Amino acid sequence: MRTSFHWGGLTLAVALALTACGGGGGDDGDERDEGATLDTAGRLAISEDAATSLRIYDLDSGSVVSNFALANSPSAVYASPGRRYALAFQRAQDTVQVADGGVWQEDHGDHLHDYKEAPKMLAFRIDGPQPTHYDDRPGQASIYMDGRAPGVPSAALVFSDTDLAAGRFAASATFANAMHGFAEPNGNALVATYRATEASGPTQAEIWNRQGSQYTFVKRLETQCPGMHGSFTRANVTVAGCSDGVLVVSPQGANDFQARKITTATGVSTIAGHPDVPRFVGIGNSGTPSTTRFYDIDAATGTATPIAISGWTEGRLRRAHGFDRAGRYFFVLDDLGALHVLERSGSSWTTRKSIAASIPAMPAAAPFPAFATNEARDEVYLSDPGARQLVVVNTSSLEIARRANLDFRPSYLAWLGIAR
């Protein structure tokens, strides 16, 4: 069954049936009544390069326990805000499919109860024009639909794991124009991009306020952010990338936000952050040869400081990045296959270690290795499409713990499970 929602000319269709479908089932059985707390490392949702398969890899057994057939080859795979579901974006085909990873936690009032069951594919699906950006924050996330020019505007859906379990989204917003933008959930507000009709891309931020299941426009912030792309929100402060620095959007009161610019020597197009780290990392490419540059962004003081990675010479490009679960380390994979581990101390970052040949034979073209963080164990993961392996890095020893062989070329990764 499919229900359609019409917002200002935009139609997003959501299939509400929640029955399981698709191939594959778990071989670990159900553990619904085994106890309140489970000792589990969780699972990985892994897509196959140039194929429609989405595999659920159980980290406890070290094996694929489900193999689901998607409608199309995914353009990205993300974890839901509560880490129970995998979201398989299929941008070109205007759809997002949802898989239940089968590991989750419920609040039973006097205790938290853990569950581990066989994964399943949901019939629940979100259809809309070019789902692209995914902004995941504690407790809620948004899918940003780029829309299509002319005539099909961009839109955003905001939801929690509870919403996905019920086959719904919590709230939505429809914007004036199609654009490659973002919409950051920020408390009861939404920080979204704005593109002027004559502009090729977004250059300003707008504030929207949630009223029930809809967001209504509040104000457009005047500060310009040319080349606006990439964002992250922490503690109600949203930072977005600009071609001349970053834009910092922060609350001043109920539904009142202000924006200010922090300039950088080169442009920023990606913002990395962690809930427990009171700073942001700005990332962007510049120069000849093109080289990835990194900046420590202090939104509180309005400063941006270049981050120097030991051995990062001109021409080096970032291929993957991410924090460990505690936010102590920031990992950067370069285009030669070396994994650089940065550690923050106060306002500075130092290169704690570089692991050469983490990916022994780096692909010359996409798909490049993807990065995922285990939030229940001290591990992070890299996909190695060429070697058909999953690379497991221990974040305590900062060593490669193992290379798990796969019988397919992995592309996108998402960790699913119970954060500890």
Side-chain angles (χ1 to χ4, degrees):
M1 180 177 66
R2 178 165 292 168
T3 302
S4 294
F5 299 84
H6 303 271
W7 303 323
L10 173 68
T11 298
L12 296 185
V14 181
L16 297 179
L18 292 176
T19 56
C21 66
D27 61 6
D28 58 335
D30 290 350
E31 297 184 21
R32 176 173 286 274
D33 299 315
E34 291 303 310
T37 302
L38 295 176
D39 182 18
T40 175
R43 291 166 170 163
L44 288 172
I46 310 176
S47 61
E48 180 179 358
D49 176 36
T52 59
S53 293
L54 180 69
R55 291 171 171 83
I56 306 299
Y57 182 91
D58 187 79
L59 291 162
D60 299 326
S61 63
S63 63
V64 172
V65 294
S66 291
N67 183 3
F68 299 119
L70 300 172
N72 311 280
S73 180
S75 54
V77 176
Y78 299 107
S80 64
R83 305 299 185 256
R84 176 173 177 177
Y85 301 97
L87 306 171
F89 280 47
Q90 296 152 58
R91 184 178 190 269
Q93 295 80 22
D94 299 344
T95 194
V96 177
Q97 289 181 266
V98 184
D100 184 345
V103 181
W104 77 98
Q105 186 179 78
E106 292 180 0
D107 187 346
H108 287 183
D110 61 340
H111 70 281
L112 297 173
H113 199 111
D114 300 344
Y115 297 101
K116 185 176 182 181
E117 297 184 352
K120 61 183 178 182
M121 196 74 191
L122 304 186
F124 170 63
R125 194 175 74 177
I126 301 172
D127 294 338
Q130 300 197 96
T132 305
H133 266 279
Y134 180 66
D135 294 308
D136 169 27
R137 304 299 166 252
Q140 60 181 345
S142 71
I143 294 175
Y144 188 89
M145 312 279 187
D146 280 355
R148 277 193 178 82
V152 182
S154 57
L157 301 175
V158 176
F159 56 89
S160 65
D161 276 37
T162 300
D163 296 315
L164 293 179
R168 69 188 181 211
F169 47 84
S172 63
T174 302
F175 307 108
N177 300 309
M179 73 186 102
H180 182 56
F182 62 79
E184 284 275 354
N186 189 325
N188 202 44
L190 197 66
V191 179
T193 50
Y194 166 73
R195 177 181 73 83
T197 303
E198 68 279 4
S200 59
T203 57
Q204 290 170 265
E206 291 184 335
I207 306 302
W208 293 64
N209 182 57
R210 182 173 171 179
Q211 303 289 337
S213 63
Q214 296 290 318
Y215 284 92
T216 59
F217 175 76
V218 176
K219 65 185 295 187
R220 184 174 303 135
L221 304 179
E222 294 183 0
T223 307
Q224 295 289 313
C225 177
M228 197 172 191
H229 188 276
S231 59
F232 193 89
T233 296
R234 180 197 175 272
N236 292 334
V237 174
T238 297
V239 175
C242 316
S243 61
D244 56 358
V246 299
L247 186 74
V248 178
V249 178
S250 55
Q252 303 301 301
N255 297 323
D256 184 22
F257 286 75
Q258 73 172 14
R260 62 173 173 167
K261 177 70 70 64
I262 301 175
T263 60
T264 55
T266 57
V268 173
S269 58
T270 299
I271 305 294
H274 186 281
D276 295 332
V277 178
R279 305 171 87 86
F280 303 81
V281 177
I283 307 170
N285 295 345
S286 69
T288 304
S290 182
T291 305
T292 304
R293 323 284 179 180
F294 303 86
Y295 297 93
D296 173 77
I297 307 297
D298 187 341
T301 62
T303 57
T305 306
I307 298 173
I309 300 178
S310 179
W312 196 275
T313 57
E314 291 296 301
R316 289 286 64 74
L317 295 171
R318 168 193 59 98
R319 292 305 187 207
H321 71 271
F323 285 89
D324 71 323
R325 63 169 171 159
R328 178 181 180 184
Y329 298 121
F330 184 63
F331 295 83
V332 180
L333 179 72
D334 71 22
D335 58 325
L336 297 181
L339 184 64
H340 306 274
V341 187
L342 306 183
E343 184 175 16
R344 185 179 63 85
S345 176
S347 60
S348 64
W349 293 84
T350 58
T351 305
R352 175 70 180 271
K353 187 173 187 177
S354 291
I355 307 173
S358 294
I359 305 295
M362 274 292 292
F368 298 113
F371 182 96
T373 300
N374 191 317
E375 297 180 28
R377 298 284 190 272
D378 290 331
E379 292 182 345
V380 297
Y381 310 99
L382 290 168
S383 59
D384 187 341
R388 297 191 171 205
Q389 288 182 336
L390 178 69
V391 182
V392 182
V393 180
N394 184 297
T395 60
S396 294
S397 65
L398 299 182
E399 300 284 349
I400 293 178
R402 60 190 180 278
R403 298 177 186 269
N405 292 322
L406 305 171
D407 61 358
F408 62 96
R409 283 172 54 87
S411 53
Y412 303 108
L413 297 177
W415 180 81
L416 310 175
I418 303 167
R420 305 295 189 192

